[in-house]
Amino acid sequence: MSALICGSIAFDTIMVFHDQFKNHILPEQVHILNVSFLVSDLRREFGGCAGNIAYNLGLLGGEGKPMGTVGSDFAPYAEWMDRVGISQDHVRFIDGSYTAQAYITTDQDDNQITAFHPGAMNSAHEVKVSECTDCTIGIVSPDGRQGMIEHAEQFAETGTPFIFDPGQGMPMFDGDNLLKFVDQATWLAFNDYEAKLMQERTGLSPEQMAQRAEAVIITRGGEGSSIYTRDKVYEIPVASALSLEDPTGCGDAYRSGLLYGLMNDMDWDTTGRVAALMGAIKIEHAGTQNHKFSRDVFDVRFKQTFGYAL
C-alpha cells in the first residue's frame, strides 16, 4: 500500500539572530522600517509538508510518494531524496521557477520573521492524483491553492480515502471552500489554533465535523491530541521528548504516524500514539528531516512510552 502525499516541497533557510528583535525595532518608527540583522548561524534544510511527511513515513517502514512541483534549483533536494529512498515519481519540474523556499530568522526570544516564496508550488495543480495508479490512501497538505482544491476533488472522484490537512494554507480558503473540503475528505487534521479557525469559518465544531467525516484529529502541542469520531473522542497522551530542540516539522511527523496507522488498519488509540511518538522524536532534532531511527528502536520506545507493544 502506498500513500500519495500532496503538498509543498521546499527549502527552509533558517537563520539565528543572537539578540532580540525588540532591541532593534522602534515601534513608533515601523512605518519607515529599515533594519538589518547580523545572523551568525545559518542552515539550509530540506522541507515542505510533502517531503517531510514522506520522509517520516519511510522511517516507519511505510511508502509515501510526494506529489508536488519544484524548480530549477531542486538538484540538491533530489539527491537527498534518492539517498533516503523517497520517490520522485510524482515530482514535476516547472521551467523558469524556483523551488518554494522559506527564509526564517529567529531571535533569542524565539520570535520569528519569515519570508516565503512559493515559486513552483503555485503550479501544483499541474500534477494529477490519477497519475499514481498504486496509491490507495492520500493526504492533501499545504500547497498551492488551486492544487489543494483540485487534488481534493480528484481524491473524492476516484473514491480514494484521504486526510485534509490545511495547515498554514488555511487563510487561502473561505467558509464555503472549507465546508466542501469537509464533505470531500475522509479524515480532517488540524492543530488547536487551526481547529478554532475552522470552526469560526464553517460554523462546525469538531464533533459536528466528525459527523460528516470519519474522524477529526486535533493536535494540542504539549497537551497531547484528540481524535473525534462519530461516536467517541479518543484522548491521546503526549509522548515525552528526550530534549526540546526544534518544533518545526512536528506536525508533519505526526501526520506520517496517522497515515501509517490508517495504512495498517490500527485502531485510533494506537494510531494516535504512533503519531504522538513521531512528533516527540522530531522535536528532539533541529530541522525537519535530520532525525532517523530503526524500526526496532521505535518499537522499543513505543512500549516504554505507552506500556504495550505495537
Side-chain angles (χ1 to χ4, degrees):
M1 177 184 287
S2 297
L4 184 61
I5 303 169
C6 304
S8 60
I9 301 172
F11 290 109
D12 296 330
T13 300
I14 301 168
M15 296 160 280
V16 179
F17 177 54
H18 291 286
D19 200 338
Q20 298 165 304
F21 292 142
K22 66 183 181 183
N23 294 335
H24 304 272
I25 298 176
L26 301 175
E28 68 277 9
Q29 299 295 321
V30 293
H31 62 291
I32 54 170
L33 186 66
N34 187 352
V35 295
S36 176
F37 301 110
L38 178 64
V39 291
S40 55
D41 297 341
L42 181 150
R43 68 180 192 270
R44 197 181 197 206
E45 304 283 2
F46 303 119
C49 295
N52 294 341
I53 295 171
Y55 176 78
N56 283 282
L57 186 56
L59 292 177
L60 284 169
E63 183 180 30
K65 297 185 175 183
M67 187 174 78
T69 43
V70 299
S72 57
D73 55 344
F74 187 64
Y77 204 146
E79 292 174 6
W80 168 252
M81 292 174 75
D82 285 340
R83 198 181 317 151
V84 297
I86 300 175
S87 168
Q88 296 181 53
D89 292 349
H90 307 290
V91 176
R92 179 173 298 178
F93 287 84
I94 304 298
D95 289 338
S97 293
Y98 288 110
T99 301
Q101 23 212 313
Y103 296 88
I104 305 165
T105 304
T106 303
D107 75 357
Q108 289 185 325
D109 290 334
D110 287 331
N111 295 309
Q112 290 186 329
I113 297 174
T114 300
F116 182 75
H117 174 66
M121 191 182 79
N122 283 334
S123 299
H125 57 281
E126 295 187 16
V127 285
K128 309 296 182 184
V129 166
S130 59
E131 295 174 15
C132 187
T133 57
D134 60 344
C135 294
T136 55
I137 190 171
I139 182 169
V140 173
S141 57
D143 207 351
R145 182 180 187 277
Q146 193 60 32
M148 293 178 71
I149 291 172
E150 293 190 17
H151 295 155
E153 290 175 347
Q154 291 160 14
F155 276 128
E157 288 169 359
T158 60
T160 304
F162 75 99
I163 300 170
F164 175 61
D165 166 33
Q168 61 266 40
M170 179 84 78
M172 296 188 293
F173 304 107
D174 61 22
D176 289 339
N177 296 142
L178 294 170
L179 283 170
K180 187 172 183 180
F181 285 127
V182 170
D183 290 332
Q184 290 170 327
T186 316
W187 310 281
L188 307 167
F190 314 101
N191 65 28
D192 196 24
Y193 177 80
E194 293 157 1
K196 290 181 173 63
L197 188 58
M198 188 77 176
Q199 181 167 349
E200 178 183 292
R201 293 193 175 179
T202 65
L204 297 178
S205 66
E207 293 86 353
Q208 290 171 319
M209 284 186 279
Q211 299 302 311
R212 299 169 74 155
E214 290 188 12
V216 178
I217 301 97
I218 300 176
T219 59
R220 307 185 190 280
E223 298 178 5
S225 52
S226 303
I227 300 176
Y228 296 79
T229 65
R230 292 173 185 176
D231 54 7
K232 184 176 180 179
V233 179
Y234 298 84
E235 296 298 343
I236 308 299
V238 68
S240 297
L242 303 179
S243 62
L244 303 177
E245 293 293 331
D246 181 7
T248 309
C250 286
D252 295 332
Y254 185 100
R255 279 144 184 77
S256 74
L258 291 180
L259 282 171
Y260 185 81
L262 291 166
M263 293 165 73
N264 289 278
D265 296 320
M266 294 179 174
D267 58 57
W268 281 117
D269 277 321
T270 299
T271 295
R273 283 164 171 78
V274 170
L277 184 53
M278 288 299 295
I281 291 172
K282 160 65 239 355
I283 206 171
E284 297 166 359
H285 301 80
T288 58
Q289 297 180 34
N290 294 327
H291 53 294
K292 56 185 177 180
F293 54 80
S294 70
R295 181 54 195 267
D296 287 343
V297 168
F298 183 88
D299 289 349
V300 168
R301 187 162 172 183
F302 184 94
K303 186 173 183 179
Q304 291 173 339
T305 302
F306 300 114
Y308 68 96
L310 273 176

